[in-house]
Amino acid sequence: MSGGPHSFATPLTELTGVRHPLVQTGMGWVAGPRLVSATAEAGALGILAGATMTTGQLRSAVREVASRTDAPFGVNIRADAGDAEERVRILVEEGVRVASFALAPSRELIARLKDAGVVVIPSIGARRHAEKVAAWGADAVVVQGGEGGGHTGSVATSVLLPQVVDAVDIPVVAAGGFHDGRGLVAALAYGAAGIAMGTRFLLTSDSTVPEAVKARYLAARVQDVTVTTKVDGLPHRMLRTELVDGLERSGRAAALLRAVRHAAAFRRESGMSWGAMLRDGLAMRHGKQLSWSQVLLAANTPMMLRASMVDGRPDLGVMASGQVAGLIGDLPSCAELVDRVMAEARATLGTLPTDARLPESPRDPRS
Ligand SMILES: Cc1cc2nc3c(=O)[nH]c(=O)nc-3n(C[C@H](O)[C@H](O)[C@H](O)COP(=O)(O)O)c2cc1C
């Protein structure tokens, strides 16, 4: 496939077959067929948010994307979901190009996908997780620094990225805090194979997030983006709202009560049985040493995200967001965004000092 005037070939474009080293991440309730197919048509790697879909919804969403574009795309699934194997089977049967994972997938899941020719790219937030999935055969990793939206760690991209690049031999895609072509060039300079953006793709005209909610993001300053553990017990980066401030003040009993209510609603919405939810909860407990109350709280995230991202009710839900929301002020289409980022990257490369312009360097003999 031709890359166009601004495209850069990197190990990411070679691995996945997309034109540009840009990824639109699998944001729950946000990265649906419309956003993913628009991203794919623009020449970047769109990732469908599979974790917040039932298996039936996942299969039909994959088919919908495939009906809208011939370009490659990916699907994000939760590695610790009780039905992860069934989801992997759907990806294989439907011929999906890339499997993305929130959290590290097992060695067996990686092997099954690779045997079927699916490219495996887990998202990780710490060096040791990158080393583990690389040893298990992952094709590449997305590393998310602490400034990124949604569940996030505390180490900034500028520290985590070079740390992971130095630790593993597979391509590393940088995430957390990127929105433009300067960021792409910086990430490539650190040794990344490309960048993955969540918040930036949420804020496009192709994203189905209600306009009033997009307006809240556009109005946000960097200081309006905060991290709370009060939604599900894990650090979660989002826009600060009255609701979030209220959660921060609320006690343990109120949080648990809310979690029970949301768990019931999530079960109805996702079509899961209580047994399956319990199995998922147990898997999470084993994987991450969560307390039972945290397991219960886990059902909060998808429900509260949905209230904002689908129902347009930020008074009832949360707006997961990277700090970069404070730098974003427009809603381009995915095609405009991708073209712009690639053109900026090209222009940025032209502005970097050359040896000849560095004060200490010897004169260029040709000048
Ligand atoms: C609204 C929203 C929902 C998200 N949902 C998920 C998810 O379901 N699974 C996942 O792996 N990451 C999720 N993330 C994290 C993103 O995939 C991505 O890693 C992050 O947004 C990158 O940082 P940035 O926002 O600074 O670009 C979400 C992020 C946002 C903003």
Side-chain angles (χ1 to χ4, degrees):
M1 200 183 286
S2 139
H6 298 296
S7 94
F8 304 166
T10 74
L12 176 68
T13 60
E14 279 154 27
L15 192 59
T16 60
V18 296
R19 291 202 301 279
H20 306 297
L22 303 175
V23 179
Q24 162 257 303
T25 64
M27 295 168 280
W29 303 114
V30 176
R34 190 168 108 186
L35 184 63
V36 173
S37 53
T39 303
E41 283 290 286
L45 181 65
I47 297 184
L48 198 60
T52 44
M53 295 177 187
T54 63
T55 49
Q57 287 166 343
L58 175 60
R59 195 184 287 274
S60 53
V62 167
R63 290 186 178 167
E64 192 178 335
V65 178
S67 75
R68 291 176 183 218
T69 180
D70 292 328
F73 64 95
V75 172
N76 177 258
I77 53 186
R78 254 182 49 201
D80 58 358
D83 58 1
E85 287 194 17
E86 187 184 346
R87 289 168 187 265
V88 162
R89 197 164 55 241
I90 293 172
L91 264 58
V92 171
E93 284 169 3
E94 299 297 328
V96 170
R97 183 65 165 266
V98 175
S100 141
F101 286 93
L103 309 175
S106 68
R107 192 193 289 264
E108 292 71 35
L109 282 185
I110 295 178
R112 180 137 354 129
L113 284 159
K114 289 193 65 174
D115 285 349
V118 182
V119 174
V120 180
I121 311 185
S123 290
I124 56 93
R127 181 188 58 187
R128 65 180 193 287
H129 295 151
E131 287 169 341
K132 187 170 77 176
V133 296
W136 288 352
D139 296 289
V141 279
V142 170
V143 355
Q144 182 183 326
E147 53 270 68
H151 287 125
T152 202
S154 56
V155 182
T157 302
S158 58
V159 173
L160 185 63
L161 177 60
Q163 191 189 29
V164 173
V165 164
D166 287 345
V168 298
D169 290 333
I170 55 177
V172 176
V173 180
F178 294 100
H179 75 292
D180 66 3
R182 290 174 300 181
L184 172 59
V185 172
L188 294 175
Y190 273 117
I195 55 172
M197 300 184 285
T199 306
R200 179 61 277 193
F201 274 102
L202 184 157
L203 294 172
T204 57
S205 57
D206 294 304
S207 138
T208 53
V209 170
E211 293 306 315
V213 174
K214 289 182 189 171
R216 298 283 293 265
Y217 281 87
L218 292 178
R221 298 161 307 156
V222 174
Q223 295 84 341
D224 297 326
V225 184
T226 188
V227 173
T228 180
T229 56
K230 285 296 181 84
V231 172
D232 60 9
L234 301 170
H236 202 155
R237 193 177 282 289
M238 60 186 63
L239 297 190
R240 182 196 302 271
T241 60
E242 267 179 39
L243 177 93
V244 174
D245 285 339
L247 290 177
E248 283 289 297
R249 285 192 303 267
S250 72
R252 204 174 144 75
L256 268 179
L257 192 67
R258 200 182 60 244
V260 174
R261 274 208 311 271
H262 283 141
F266 178 61
R267 195 194 65 80
R268 269 199 310 277
E269 182 63 37
S270 64
M272 266 178 150
S273 68
W274 281 109
M277 265 187 74
L278 217 61
R279 260 200 320 278
D280 274 11
L282 273 171
M284 285 177 70
R285 222 167 102 92
H286 287 156
K288 290 181 283 171
Q289 268 108 46
L290 298 186
S291 66
W292 273 109
S293 58
Q294 283 177 317
V295 169
L296 210 51
L297 282 167
N300 258 339
T301 304
M303 286 317 294
M304 294 190 79
L305 201 54
R306 185 198 146 106
S308 297
M309 299 299 135
V310 179
D311 304 327
R313 295 292 305 270
D315 54 325
L316 299 177
V318 296
M319 293 176 281
S321 175
Q323 289 182 324
V324 75
L327 307 183
I328 296 173
D330 62 355
L331 298 170
S333 68
C334 287
E336 286 163 350
L337 174 64
V338 168
D339 282 354
R340 184 163 89 196
V341 170
M342 295 312 299
E344 284 165 356
R346 182 64 69 198
T348 300
L349 281 177
T351 67
L352 295 179
T354 61
D355 275 355
R357 276 193 257 149
L358 287 174
E360 316 76 349
S361 63
R363 272 181 74 80
D364 183 341
R366 287 165 300 182
S367 64

